[in-house]
Amino acid sequence: MTFRLMLAAGLALALAGCSTTNTGGSSAISAAPSAVETRWVGQSAGAFFAKFGPPVNDEASGSSTVYTWRGGFKNRSVPATYDKGEDGKRGKLVKPARTEYLRCEVRVTVSEDYTIRSIKPVFDKRLDNGKTWCEEFLAGN
């Protein structure tokens, strides 16, 4: 019995440390909407799903429906970074070359008339150009 109690307490502590991170979407305190929100809020959800594919999940939320959409899967190569050496030569290795796996996951809140009311990133990755992958993929030109 004591073992079970200790196991349950340990599991509760482990779960208490879990959290969801948003690495690129708008936060509740920022006033400026993201490029994804600017592009898609007020548009038809049908146009969004026709362009990017169907959602993976949906749930009713009062008079609205919240869809979970995943996509934009891509591998990209990130070159190695070196210090500047003497006489313009390449110096010491700072970061080795690597391959990054990019994906975008958003929650799309849709009203009864199938109009997007909000679109919030759940999983996103900030790129070197200052944008996030969701911004580049979903709001790109």
Side-chain angles (χ1 to χ4, degrees):
M1 182 69 176
T2 306
F3 177 73
R4 285 185 183 171
L5 184 61
M6 289 176 36
L7 184 63
L11 182 61
L13 286 173
L15 289 175
C18 295
S19 66
T20 302
T21 59
N22 181 354
T23 60
S26 62
S27 66
I29 48 179
S30 81
S34 71
V36 176
E37 290 172 311
T38 303
R39 167 68 180 92
W40 288 105
V41 170
Q43 301 294 316
S44 168
F48 179 88
F49 295 132
K51 184 169 184 173
F52 299 112
V56 295
N57 189 17
D58 64 88
E59 57 189 66
S61 176
S63 63
S64 300
T65 304
V66 180
Y67 294 96
T68 301
W69 177 88
R70 289 183 195 124
F73 304 110
K74 178 181 177 182
N75 287 327
R76 77 173 185 149
S77 298
V78 179
T81 307
Y82 296 92
D83 278 336
K84 291 189 180 200
E86 297 176 18
D87 300 328
K89 295 181 182 178
R90 185 167 57 186
K92 184 180 176 183
L93 177 69
V94 176
K95 287 185 179 178
R98 64 191 187 282
T99 300
E100 287 184 336
Y101 179 69
L102 301 174
R103 72 177 177 106
C104 177
E105 181 175 333
V106 292
R107 291 181 54 90
V108 183
T109 304
V110 177
S111 64
E112 289 176 330
D113 63 349
Y114 214 53
T115 301
I116 296 175
R117 294 292 166 217
S118 74
I119 184 165
K120 302 290 180 192
V122 175
F123 185 86
D124 203 354
K125 170 113 175 119
R126 186 151 308 274
L127 303 174
D128 298 333
N129 62 7
K131 291 183 178 180
T132 67
W133 176 239
C134 285
E135 289 174 342
E136 191 127 320
F137 186 76
L138 297 175
N141 299 329

